[in-house]
Amino acid sequence: MQNFISEQNLNVLLEQLIKSGKRVVAPRVNSGTPLYEPLSASGEMDLKELPRRSAKEAFFPVCEDILSYEKVGLNVKLSDVDPARFPETVLVGVRPCDAAAIPVLDAVFSWDYKDQFYLERRRKTTIVGLACTSSDDACFCSGVGLSPSTTKGSDLFLTPLEGGGYVCETYSQKGEDLVSNYKELFVDTTSAKPLPLAEVRTETFDLKKVKAWLDNNFENSYWDGIAISCVGCGACAFVCPACHCFDIVDEGAEKKGQRRKSWDACGFWKFTHHASGHNPRDLQPKRYRNRIMHKFKYYDDKFSQTLCTGCGRCIRVCPVGIDIATIVEEISHK
Amino acid sequence: MNNHAALDTSIYTAVTEAIRVEAQRILSEGQVTAVIGYAASRRKGSARPVIATDAVAADKLIFTAACVNNLAVYLTKAKKDIHKGGKIGIVVKGCDLKALIGLMGESQLKREDLYLIGVPCSGVLGSTMQPATELTTATIAPKCCECDVHQPTGCDFIPSVTVPSTPQLEGKYSAEIARLEALTPAERWSYWKEQFAKCIKCYACRQVCPFCFCEQCLCDRNKPQMVDSTPRPSGNTAWHIVRAMHLAGRCAGCAECERVCPMDIPLNLLNRKMAKELKELYDYESGLEVLEKGPLNSFAEKDDQSFIK
Amino acid sequence: MDNRTQQDFEPKIIAFVCTWCTYAGADLAGTSRMQYPSNVRVLKFPCTGRIDPVFILKAFQQGADGVLVSGCHPGDCHYIAGNFHARRRFAAFRKLLEFIGVDLNRLQFSWVSAAEGGKWVEVVTDLTEKVRTMGPMVEFKELALEEQWSGAIDTPELKEAYNAI
Ligand code: SF4
Ligand code: SF4
Ligand code: SF4
Ligand code: SF4
């Protein structure tokens, strides 16, 4: 089977994609920080580190315009953003914990309301996943039933081999199209062994038990204990591949401006602050409780899925060392 | 070969022991209702802020190079659910103490409500994303390289250990500020433009800052909307300018804002640049003594006005 | 970006003034029929102490090419010390803007009393002419067009609209 691609040919593939006018987004280092960003040349790709922000922003941008307004005489002229302008994108080198979150997000963005911004970007994107060969003690994909070789969410999946190059498997029409459009870059599989996968904590949390406890413990002193130190920033939500709350604001002047959609986070005090001045989640533990409830109960209630892929990002960036893996583990033993 | 020398953190064992004993004592004698300190967490080498209210919890307190947080933030209005009144104990490094002094000056705290456990400190990590990192001349927080308060004073209790003399470390902030000052305005603009573009407005920098205790931040308001709230380069730049301005003359230099930034933006350069200017203009330095008024809410008739026509 | 030539560039100058001194001074210039550039838009405040640095920032963001802040001479403040406070605040703010990379030639501070119609004319004329030779302030305008990569879409009309400002 022609399913081997050398490192060199992968670079050629990226170059050709860029030349063909596609936006190629891959891990790259931006003034010291690893991020998924559009490449202008294949050499910029740097797969060593897990990007600080997840791949969700390819479909769910940090901030995007949704319409613009302009006062013309006595009327207001509204112009919608034309989704036809969203670029065709190939997302390369996506870690399994990032790719696996994408089908999870699909559920909420195509539920009662079909979010055309998300769905159109999603439709125009091909996802090339990459088996994970490095981890740290914040990673816990295995805890939520995934693994460093999970192919969920990938259209095409690369497994790095000893001595270089990758075995690629296709998981969707998009993936097959990508391979068949550039077949000359793929050759017969070599006999090389795959590189050893990343080591992760092996035990899987009993998410059913976690949910059962959450079902009955909205009020519990446990929340105060774990979240009293939470400072209420948005770091955990913003780096998370599965968090998807957004805010909509108008920006500009009286005469013209934009309506914009940008990331929001349930940790913020203002998230549930009512116009009346009342805030039902008045203290930080109540806000943090929502984070856990949404991920392990509400999303399960609605979509039978878990809103966490164990990427460990929130654990690494939390200013006060709050560790979601410990919390889920503790709840599963209650 | 690496030329980064490991730093001596051997005193932290004795410091940890002393903190535990003292915290247990003041809690069990009923001198304080709680002690805010650090305890280990699951990840190897990690530490996180905890609020110990009994001797059992106090026995878990630690001090290591991963004890980076400025715990003063938990005593501010922004965290009013923690300090409900009465006397409270808090573990402070010299740099954290400067923030407490500033907060007292701003009438946010009263000295008599605090029991200060000072920490003789040889330095902490610059980043705790990987908390098991060894403390070396490369991994130490830049603020520690320019620190003048390794041995805090004026506390209620300080473990009697001596901070080993640290090798003379390069002052990264002063060097970087000097480098930027030497650039042209256009070059500086493009430097900051690139940095601010990365910001995602997670507000971790604001939330950890002891001086960002406003109930509603100007940058969160939409009536009037002085600063665009979306995380676009334009709104980000405005946010950072406002942030630096609102902290000028108040920032105590704990560098927590910079440490917690998930986008690695060197935020403290702005605050330290402002501190440097206020020192030059008004001979003011924050965190040295409790002052009723800072440099930007006081004045002298002879203040420089060479820039005014 | 901006292909207008310097000759037909008319700088937009925003002046934040206090109502007691500089506003009265500007008024005097007007009633004495003194000529000064019509480039300046005057915004009146109770006191220079009320002029928040964020107003200056906002002015630049909304398209100002130059900003003037003016109030009573030291000792003349209607509220006794508002201008003394403002003096320190703006001294600090200038340093910050300079460090961010804003050219301070676009930002002028002055004391203009109610009797100094002539000084008002001089200050606004000098600033206008200085800014005219510098050309338009493009930094903040360009910034307003930028997006995080993930939100960027190709919208040529929008760019054109901004250029027209
Ligand atoms: S909750 Fe934390 S560990 Fe889970 S997917 Fe989000 S960032 Fe990753
Ligand atoms: S859990 Fe941590 S990262 Fe999340 S809001 Fe709280 S302090 Fe911020
Ligand atoms: S601005 Fe930064 S360095 Fe200054 S006190 Fe706040 S968190 Fe600390
Ligand atoms: S912590 Fe960093 S990314 Fe978050 S708001 Fe502050 S500067 Fe922006």
Side-chain angles (χ1 to χ4, degrees), chain A residues 55-192:
Chain A
K56 74 177 174 192
E57 72 177 294
F59 323 106
F60 176 44
V62 187
C63 178
E64 65 181 316
D65 286 1
I66 55 180
L67 62 82
S68 52
Y69 64 87
E70 190 178 353
K71 264 195 192 165
V72 193
L74 290 174
N75 298 317
V76 178
K77 191 181 131 216
L78 295 180
S79 344
D80 283 325
V81 166
D82 179 6
R85 289 236 176 82
F86 296 164
E88 294 272 349
T89 302
V90 184
L91 199 49
V92 184
V94 181
R95 299 274 182 127
C97 50
D98 275 342
I102 296 165
V104 178
L105 288 177
D106 290 346
V108 69
F109 283 112
S110 55
W111 171 51
D112 58 345
Y113 178 76
K114 308 259 178 280
D115 186 314
Q116 55 153 343
F117 296 93
Y118 175 92
L119 294 173
E120 187 58 14
R121 285 197 162 87
R122 177 81 170 91
R123 192 182 66 75
K124 284 185 166 169
T125 305
T126 305
I127 299 162
V128 182
L130 173 71
C132 189
T133 50
S134 67
S135 66
D136 64 19
D137 59 355
C139 295
F140 64 102
C141 53
S142 55
V144 290
L146 301 170
S147 83
S149 57
T150 299
T151 58
K152 181 177 169 186
S154 293
D155 297 308
L156 187 71
F157 192 78
L158 306 176
T159 306
L161 300 181
E162 272 177 5
Y166 306 87
V167 168
C168 29
E169 289 146 287
T170 54
Y171 289 92
S172 72
Q173 192 56 46
K174 279 183 194 167
E176 278 165 30
D177 290 349
L178 184 62
V179 173
S180 63
N181 286 345
Y182 296 93
K183 353 188 212 324
E184 66 285 359
L185 300 173
F186 296 84
V187 296
D188 284 345
T189 314
T190 65
S191 56

Side-chain angles (χ1 to χ4, degrees), chain A residues 229-236 267 284 288 291 314 317-320 322:
Chain A
S229 61
C230 171
V231 292
C233 63
C236 51
Q284 204 56 38
Y288 192 79
R291 179 168 171 79
C314 58
V317 303
C318 178
V320 298
I322 292 178

